[in-house]
Amino acid sequence: MNSEWKLPSRREAQHRTHKQSEIQRNLFVIPDEMKDFGNHRLFYIRTFGCQANVRDGETIAGILNEMGYSMTEDIDSADLIILNTCAIRENAENKVFGEIGNLKHLKLRKPDLLLAVCGCMMQEEGVVDRILRKHPHVDLIFGTHNIHNLPQLVYQASLSKERTVEVYSQEGDVIENLPVQRFGTSKAWVNIMYGCDKFCTYCIVPYTRGKERSRLKRDIIDEVRQLQQEGFKEVTLLGQNVNAYGKDLKMTDDFAQLLAAVAETGIDRVRFTTSHPWDFSDQMVNVIATYDNIMPYIHLPVQSGDNDILKIMGRRYTVESYREIYDKLKEVMPGCAFSSDIIVGFPNESDEQFQRTLDLVDYCHYDNIYTFIYSPREGTPAAKMVDNVSMETKKNRLQILNERVKKYALENNEKYLNQIVDVLVDGPSRKNESIYSGYTDTQKLVNFKVKNASVNEIIKVKITEAKTFFLIGEEI
Ligand code: 5AD
Ligand code: SF4
């Protein structure tokens, strides 16, 4: 093994200090010899997982553009392929390993092809070790903390005969002034903070994304203003737990104040994800209710409806306090839509405990829930717990839960029948040019018959039919 490689370390990844992260403005530089390196070369990027990864993908694309590369959607014609990976559950990782395996043939046909893998999986010791041992056709491995080094990494991996591996595990800084190629034209992702310090016992994210570190408010507002000038209609503020925004900085702005400042820019639509129920403040509820351009849709992951399970998960709230936040939001915004994340089959979850999760779903009538079977993640506390729940039981629970989710999704959607809603237009459907799609302020997907609407407009649509996970309507 090459001694110059920088490999991930779990011990370092779980370490946290009280040192305040620095805002780095000069870390990204493309040396002259690398500036035209990508001219006449194509890159292909495939991103797995959450919005943080999608936003990283846009940074990667932006950096490669500055090196002269152009993006292609045709993987066969690419000179550089990047798999931007997700580590949240085992099945996410299996997909990536499947894709790495599939690319072996392409690499054999095109020996000059550069295959890079990056993202959360590369922050795991076991994964990098497996790639190094079993997948010699991977040329470049980098992690979530060193995307700014991409020019040097691509250059080195292309010119050297050896593979290049660079993954930092120590707490990172906030790196500003990275280029970006936005994949959308009307909706944009805006990072407000990175990392997570919650250490829920099942979750790998605090290890793969490092400690919580916030961007400065002025940098965030500048980005939103710039997007507004470029014609974007919607921003989604991103963080693993946006409610913790600002807590790591020696300044007074918290998430509620930041949210208000973003709304004050006047951009048409403001969303945020993800909120942790533990520190969802009353000020946040007030700000959300005050500004019309903060969308009435809240994603509030509950994970379980049982207090004992929540405690073992390390979630730091109770079902009662969760319901209190839900009630407050419903009171100030009766039309607000809600979604959640729920894990079934956490170690030793009993039938009664699962039933309490269903009871909570009955209470909240969610518009949607992202449901998951618990997946042990190496190195997390939950992965060491002895588990007496069979996979068959877990699958049954998932199915029962999903049926319940569908019931409320349809019931909620049926309330939209004959209503006129605002829809931000995404564009025509692939199959039928006269059918467009877009989203309501409550994040409902609407497919509608178009009259004059064009992409990136907010228009009025009359809802004529309600399906479980989308609405059908006509532009009026
Ligand atoms: N197993 C199953 N689901 C998980 N999630 C996070 N870690 C795990 C895991 N180990 C789910 C949580 C989280 C969402 C992003 O993914 O519900 O909110
Ligand atoms: Fe994972 Fe919990 Fe952090 Fe969310 S809050 S990223 S579930 S550790």
Side-chain angles (χ1 to χ4, degrees):
M1 204 179 273
N2 188 326
S3 60
E4 284 173 19
W5 286 345
K6 181 83 188 91
L7 297 169
S9 142
R10 189 180 310 136
R11 200 179 50 76
E12 268 183 53
Q14 68 189 38
H15 181 67
R16 294 291 188 270
T17 66
H18 295 296
K19 178 184 156 283
Q20 188 175 319
S21 299
E22 284 173 37
I23 311 286
Q24 302 279 1
R25 297 189 187 276
N26 303 313
L27 267 191
F28 174 71
V29 223
I30 306 186
D32 282 344
E33 68 274 24
M34 299 176 197
K35 278 192 178 134
D36 301 324
F37 186 75
N39 283 359
H40 314 296
R41 290 191 166 125
L42 299 173
F43 77 91
Y44 171 94
I45 182 162
R46 173 149 183 219
T47 292
F48 299 80
C50 70
Q51 294 94 335
N53 255 19
V54 174
R55 182 62 187 76
D56 281 352
E58 293 182 332
T59 300
I60 290 168
I63 294 176
L64 292 171
N65 279 336
E66 292 208 353
M67 291 177 75
Y69 278 94
S70 306
M71 189 157 93
T72 175
E73 299 202 344
D74 170 28
I75 195 164
D76 288 326
S77 63
D79 303 285
L80 165 62
I81 295 175
I82 297 186
L83 303 180
N84 185 17
T85 66
C86 168
I88 199 90
R89 282 169 292 275
E90 193 185 358
N91 55 7
E93 298 204 342
N94 288 343
K95 260 194 241 164
V96 170
F97 276 115
E99 189 69 17
I100 292 176
N102 291 340
L103 288 171
K104 204 168 174 179
H105 301 289
L106 195 57
K107 180 83 188 176
L108 283 173
R109 262 199 288 131
K110 289 173 69 173
D112 287 338
L113 170 70
L114 198 67
L115 175 57
V117 279
C118 64
C120 285
M121 274 171 76
M122 301 310 124
Q123 298 291 141
E124 296 181 272
E125 283 179 13
V127 168
V128 172
D129 182 59
R130 178 168 160 191
I131 294 178
L132 291 177
R133 280 188 294 107
K134 297 206 173 142
H135 301 282
H137 62 295
V138 172
D139 303 293
L140 168 60
I141 295 175
F142 62 100
T144 56
H145 298 308
N146 58 341
I147 294 176
H148 59 280
N149 285 343
L150 191 60
Q152 290 81 353
L153 293 169
V154 166
Y155 191 72
Q156 186 186 335
S158 302
L159 299 188
S160 107
K161 292 272 168 282
E162 285 184 32
R163 42 184 28 191
T164 301
V165 185
E166 187 184 87
V167 181
Y168 300 157
S169 300
Q170 71 271 37
E171 309 173 336
D173 284 326
V174 171
I175 299 163
E176 291 294 344
N177 301 338
L178 293 176
V180 53
Q181 178 190 343
R182 307 264 175 198
F183 296 152
T185 51
S186 54
K187 299 188 273 196
W189 309 109
V190 176
N191 286 317
I192 64 164
M193 59 183 300
Y194 306 97
C196 181
D197 288 342
K198 290 283 180 287
F199 286 98
C200 301
T201 55
Y202 51 81
C203 186
I204 193 82
V205 170
Y207 309 83
T208 61
R209 293 258 164 198
K211 80 164 180 176
E212 286 177 358
R213 52 231 192 262
S214 304
R215 293 179 71 200
L216 294 184
K217 180 174 133 187
R218 67 179 156 93
D219 290 323
I220 297 166
I221 299 294
D222 283 352
E223 186 173 338
V224 173
R225 289 231 166 86
Q226 162 106 32
L227 287 162
Q228 209 177 354
Q229 274 167 16
E230 289 169 17
F232 283 84
K233 292 281 193 313
E234 179 176 306
V235 290
T236 302
L237 308 180
L238 288 183
Q240 300 303 332
N241 168 23
V242 291
N243 311 9
Y245 172 77
K247 289 185 182 175
D248 58 309
L249 294 177
K250 290 190 191 78
M251 60 175 206
T252 48
D253 281 290
D254 60 15
F255 182 60
Q257 289 163 306
L258 175 75
L259 192 55
V262 172
E264 292 281 346
T265 64
I267 192 153
D268 295 69
R269 289 182 164 197
V270 180
R271 301 186 188 277
F272 55 90
T273 196
T274 297
S275 279
H276 192 297
W278 175 56
D279 46 8
F280 204 107
S281 67
D282 284 350
Q283 287 87 331
M284 277 173 63
V285 177
N286 289 339
V287 169
I288 295 165
T290 303
Y291 291 92
D292 285 345
N293 57 346
I294 300 178
M295 296 293 99
Y297 161 73
I298 311 282
H299 181 60
L300 198 58
V302 70
Q303 313 299 355
S304 166
D306 179 79
N307 280 337
D308 290 335
I309 294 277
L310 287 175
K311 199 164 195 178
I312 307 169
M313 284 178 162
R315 293 289 290 178
R316 312 180 203 197
Y317 54 84
T318 59
V319 176
E320 292 72 26
S321 63
Y322 182 91
R323 283 180 15 178
E324 217 174 283
I325 302 165
Y326 172 86
D327 289 342
K328 276 186 206 158
L329 285 162
K330 267 281 180 204
E331 194 186 322
V332 292
M333 287 184 300
C336 186
F338 284 86
S339 63
S340 197
D341 293 342
I342 289 180
I343 297 175
V344 299
F346 190 74
N348 309 314
E349 181 191 55
S350 67
D351 283 336
E352 292 75 24
Q353 289 173 321
F354 173 62
Q355 182 55 46
R356 283 188 202 109
T357 296
L358 294 177
D359 294 345
L360 184 72
V361 173
D362 288 340
Y363 185 86
C364 294
H365 292 224
Y366 291 104
D367 292 76
N368 195 11
I369 307 180
Y370 302 91
T371 59
F372 312 103
I373 291 181
Y374 166 71
S375 167
R377 305 285 61 218
E378 205 186 332
T380 60
K384 296 185 194 85
M385 295 174 194
V386 183
D387 186 3
N388 65 13
V389 189
S390 71
M391 188 43 85
E392 196 192 343
T393 305
K394 292 180 195 232
K395 284 186 178 161
N396 272 338
R397 287 182 189 160
L398 185 72
Q399 205 187 342
I400 294 167
L401 177 60
N402 284 342
E403 286 310 313
R404 199 70 59 102
V405 175
K406 282 193 213 154
K407 170 179 156 174
Y408 290 116
L410 183 60
E411 264 181 38
N412 284 315
N413 278 356
E414 281 171 346
K415 293 187 195 134
Y416 285 73
L417 275 176
N418 298 319
Q419 280 196 26
I420 292 166
V421 292
D422 286 333
V423 170
L424 172 56
V425 180
D426 277 340
S429 82
R430 284 202 183 159
K431 289 187 206 133
N432 183 345
E433 289 279 297
S434 67
I435 302 293
Y436 274 44
S437 65
Y439 284 84
T440 64
D441 51 6
T442 49
Q443 191 72 341
K444 302 276 179 194
L445 171 63
V446 185
N447 294 328
F448 60 95
K449 254 194 241 140
V450 72
K451 276 189 189 152
N452 312 305
S454 43
V455 177
N456 197 18
E457 263 186 318
I458 296 176
I459 57 148
K460 301 275 181 209
V461 172
K462 182 170 181 184
I463 301 304
T464 53
E465 217 180 313
K467 302 280 187 192
T468 304
F469 291 118
F470 64 97
L471 300 167
I472 298 175
E474 285 166 9
E475 183 184 354
I476 57 167

